[in-house]
Amino acid sequence: MINKEVQPQSRNYTVPLVTITLLFFMWGFITCMNDILIPYLKQLFSLTFFESMLVQFCFFGAYFIGSLIYFLVSISQGDPINKVGYKKGILFGIGLAALGCILFYPAATFSYYPLFLGALFILGLGFTVLQITANAYVSLLGSEDSASSRLNMTQAFNAFGTTIAPVLGGHLIFELFSEPDGTFSAVATRIPYLIFAAILLLVGILISRVKLPSFQMETEETVQGWGALKFSHLKFGVFTMFCYVGGEVAVGSFIISFLEETMKFNEAISKNYLSLYWGGAMIGRFLGAISLNQSISQAKKAVFMLGAAALVFLVIFSIVNLTFDQISFFLVFIVLNFAAFFVGKAAPARTLSIFAAINVILLISTMLNHGEMAMYSVLGIGIFNSIMFSNIYTLAISGLGKYTSQGSSLVVMAILGGAIVPIFQGLLADQFGVQHSFIIPVFCYLVILIFGAYCTKYLGHVENTEAKSGH
């Protein structure tokens, strides 16, 4: 949704970029807290798996509704962010997200599940605004050539937030603010979410005080109708994004319940393994940023990727409350991720298919095996999710021309998958158990695999262009 930029005078954007990166971290942290809330609220209100998945339905459903409203306003009256400015848009999104966190207080006080769902919906709307504004703004904070690098960096810190959320957030809710006798109480969420709201507001105050550059944009002609849908790869890409977000969220949502069922772990232990799932995405994003950089030789890529993987692995090891023996299995997935990147040869569609195929195999292993093998399989999925969002997004909107903004809106709407897919997996889990319910994300990753193969065959010229440019 970025119109043509009138490039401002060259300046140092370090302070604005660091400030926005802090926002990305909090954004990822609070989003991943949903995976802690699901088993917590399930036990608190004696919910079925289907009912507990309404957490994701309300949160990610807000992405769809918010994006749809934004899209309809954009095609009829012009891009709203272009009128009010990125800074005001970011501050509005922060304020809305903070309000969602504050609403956890009355929800917990009255111990009423629908109020929790309402708070999550408002929180999701706030993050929708940030999804639209903050990502685009980061791309403008510097030269166009380095935009991809900046986005990868901020997204990596977003993944860092999702990695530590299960450990820190789980400690706050399951241990620090729980009842002394260990029983579940709704009030355990009041203080943590008030803390999250306060931090968001502090970040907002910081952003309001920091002198962020103002970008004037030349308004493009408003595109009427749904012309973007004449592109078959966009329609396929929208459905693929729906499946990707749905599959990723569904797997993360069920990991704690799966480990309780398969390994007999309690929430305090399971939350550490959940961090490995999201930490894998962080590792993969760092490796992907290096792998797709065409200015680095293959030999240097191998060295840099090895160093980045080792460093991030040590960071994760320092965060989770697990021994080295307990997480050493993850080194196998890092090596496999290395191999998959080099086989993909920096081609977005080919790499996407390879990663999706590996996740299909891991999910089947999760369903057929028991004990540690099943646990290792489900936790390994995260590292191969890493580059899927960006690759699907890029391939879906390639070659749309004047319909690019419209196509982008449709792809963002597809985040609705995070609301719908977990619901279906929850229904299946109620009937056949958590382990067998992973057949739902199997189908999601099969769609991603087919989309990657489709784009490899029919959009080869786009892929080659992107590979040469390093995107």
Side-chain angles (χ1 to χ4, degrees):
M1 297 182 211
I2 304 174
N3 296 323
K4 188 184 298 182
E5 176 188 353
V6 179
Q7 188 71 10
Q9 189 176 2
S10 178
R11 54 177 296 181
N12 190 328
Y13 297 121
T14 301
V15 173
L17 187 59
V18 169
T19 307
I20 299 299
T21 299
L22 177 60
L23 174 61
F24 270 76
F25 168 80
M26 282 303 300
W27 175 2
F29 184 97
I30 297 175
T31 297
C32 192
M33 281 297 297
N34 288 358
D35 294 341
I36 297 296
L37 283 176
I38 288 170
Y40 167 77
L41 295 175
K42 183 178 184 296
Q43 292 195 37
L44 179 64
F45 294 107
S46 300
L47 305 173
T48 64
F49 282 111
F50 171 78
E51 291 168 338
S52 66
M53 285 304 121
L54 291 176
V55 167
Q56 302 292 29
F57 179 80
C58 290
F59 183 81
F60 286 99
Y63 274 80
F64 173 76
I65 293 175
S67 297
L68 178 61
I69 293 172
Y70 190 93
F71 171 78
L72 294 176
V73 172
S74 294
I75 64 173
S76 61
Q77 301 180 25
D79 194 331
I81 299 301
N82 206 24
K83 294 180 179 179
V84 303
Y86 284 97
K87 185 173 183 177
K88 289 182 179 178
I90 291 171
L91 291 175
F92 177 73
I94 291 174
L96 204 54
L99 174 62
C101 290
I102 292 171
L103 290 176
F104 271 77
Y105 193 91
T109 300
F110 293 105
S111 191
Y112 189 49
Y113 188 47
L115 285 179
F116 279 104
L117 298 179
L120 285 161
F121 182 80
I122 299 299
L123 183 58
L125 284 178
F127 286 161
T128 302
V129 177
L130 293 177
Q131 182 83 16
I132 294 170
T133 56
N135 281 304
Y137 192 71
V138 168
S139 69
L140 297 176
L141 289 174
S143 69
E144 184 176 347
D145 292 340
S146 60
S148 178
S149 174
R150 291 191 302 278
L151 283 170
N152 278 322
M153 184 270 291
T154 54
Q155 288 292 343
F157 278 92
N158 181 272
F160 181 51
T162 64
T163 302
I164 70 170
V167 176
L168 180 56
H171 174 71
L172 292 174
I173 291 177
F174 289 129
E175 300 171 42
L176 186 60
F177 293 105
S178 64
E179 294 295 323
D181 59 359
T183 58
F184 278 56
S185 171
V187 297
T189 60
R190 288 195 304 193
I191 302 303
Y193 274 85
L194 283 180
I195 293 173
F196 301 156
I199 295 174
L200 281 172
L201 290 175
L202 286 174
V203 173
I205 292 172
L206 179 61
I207 290 176
S208 69
R209 296 296 181 90
V210 172
K211 188 175 181 181
L212 297 180
S214 176
F215 296 97
Q216 294 182 342
M217 314 293 268
E218 296 177 3
T219 304
E220 294 176 351
E221 178 185 358
T222 300
V223 178
Q224 302 289 338
W226 297 78
L229 290 178
K230 69 182 180 181
F231 296 92
S232 59
H233 70 281
L234 172 65
K235 289 183 285 187
F236 197 173
V238 169
F239 180 58
T240 303
M241 184 63 80
F242 176 94
C243 291
Y244 162 67
V245 177
E248 179 189 49
V249 171
V251 172
S253 299
F254 277 92
I255 282 179
I256 289 181
S257 297
F258 176 72
L259 294 180
E260 289 177 351
E261 182 180 288
T262 305
M263 303 296 294
K264 309 304 179 185
F265 291 161
N266 59 30
E267 292 87 352
I269 296 175
S270 297
K271 63 182 174 57
N272 293 289
Y273 285 98
L274 178 60
S275 282
L276 292 181
Y277 173 75
W278 292 110
M282 179 169 60
I283 293 174
R285 284 174 183 172
F286 277 115
L287 297 186
I290 299 170
S291 174
L292 298 177
N293 191 328
Q294 296 301 306
S295 64
I296 304 175
S297 67
Q298 288 295 103
K300 287 185 177 179
K301 276 185 184 181
V303 174
F304 291 158
M305 289 173 72
L306 181 62
L311 179 61
V312 178
F313 179 80
L314 289 175
V315 169
I316 295 173
F317 177 60
S318 67
I319 292 172
V320 298
N321 187 25
L322 298 170
T323 66
F324 182 78
D325 288 341
Q326 288 174 310
I327 69 170
S328 58
F329 73 90
F330 214 69
L331 296 173
V332 175
F333 291 114
I334 294 177
V335 172
L336 183 58
N337 196 250
F338 263 73
F341 270 120
F342 282 104
V343 172
K345 297 180 179 178
R350 187 184 302 118
T351 305
L352 182 66
S353 286
I354 293 170
F355 279 36
I358 292 173
N359 275 354
V360 169
I361 295 171
L362 290 174
L363 282 165
I364 292 174
S365 174
T366 299
M367 295 170 60
L368 297 180
N369 289 301
H370 300 281
E372 291 185 344
M373 183 58 69
M375 179 181 72
Y376 296 159
S377 297
V378 74
L379 296 178
I381 293 169
I383 196 170
F384 297 100
N385 281 336
S386 53
I387 51 85
M388 287 188 179
F389 185 96
S390 59
N391 285 20
I392 294 170
Y393 184 89
T394 303
L395 292 167
I397 66 171
S398 63
L400 297 190
K402 66 179 181 179
Y403 296 106
T404 298
S405 294
Q406 191 179 93
S408 298
S409 298
L410 294 173
V411 176
V412 171
M413 285 182 209
I415 292 176
L416 178 67
I420 302 299
V421 175
I423 288 287
F424 282 99
Q425 186 167 349
L427 284 172
L428 216 59
D430 286 327
Q431 297 296 319
F432 304 103
V434 174
Q435 188 166 18
H436 293 99
S437 72
F438 282 102
I439 188 65
I440 297 293
V442 167
F443 288 114
C444 292
Y445 287 103
L446 282 174
V447 170
I448 299 170
L449 192 161
I450 296 170
F451 176 69
Y454 171 86
C455 291
T456 298
K457 183 175 181 180
Y458 295 104
L459 295 177
H461 64 287
V462 174
E463 181 169 310
N464 290 335
T465 301
E466 291 177 343
K468 290 178 181 178
S469 64
H471 297 294

